[in-house]
Amino acid sequence: MELIEECLEQFGVTTEEVVEYDVEVIETGRAKTDREGMKGIKTIIRELQEMYDGEPGAPEEKVYQRAGQEGLPPKRTKHEIQKLRDKGEIYSPD
């Protein structure tokens, strides 16, 4: 099911509450919900980074916690974080 949902998301079809077609995928190459999700996660990371001054980045468990408070389910948060990592916009130090 996850594979099918991921493939459908690439064409702008979301399976959340109402199945809809996102025409922005054709125009911009990315769905509006994807852009909003990535922007939201990056904002959360930036805010947490400021709170934990002196530490690099933001603790991942705090990112999940804050995202949950803002209505993003853990599965969606994980997906958005992975997409940001794949694009090289965020990273996890070893």
Side-chain angles (χ1 to χ4, degrees):
M1 266 324 268
E2 289 179 28
L3 179 60
I4 291 170
E5 288 176 357
E6 190 173 319
C7 290
L8 289 173
E9 285 177 1
Q10 292 176 359
F11 292 101
V13 178
T14 60
T15 57
E16 291 172 1
E17 292 180 16
V18 177
V19 176
E20 60 185 49
Y21 183 74
D22 189 348
V23 84
E24 287 190 37
V25 172
I26 294 172
E27 293 176 5
T28 64
R30 252 195 309 198
K32 180 180 178 183
T33 54
D34 285 348
R35 284 195 325 276
E36 289 173 353
M38 293 171 90
K39 183 179 176 185
I41 295 296
K42 286 169 49 175
T43 300
I44 290 169
I45 291 170
R46 193 174 309 113
E47 289 172 358
L48 288 172
Q49 186 173 359
E50 290 172 6
M51 288 176 57
Y52 290 91
D53 193 36
E55 289 187 34
E60 191 169 348
E61 63 276 356
K62 298 290 185 185
V63 173
Y64 279 96
Q65 189 177 48
R66 176 76 73 81
Q69 291 172 352
E70 294 187 15
L72 280 170
K75 183 178 176 182
R76 175 78 188 268
T77 302
K78 182 178 182 177
H79 179 72
E80 296 299 332
I81 288 172
Q82 187 58 49
K83 286 196 312 189
L84 288 167
R85 283 183 179 146
D86 291 346
K87 291 178 67 179
E89 293 187 33
I90 63 172
Y91 66 94
S92 296
D94 289 332

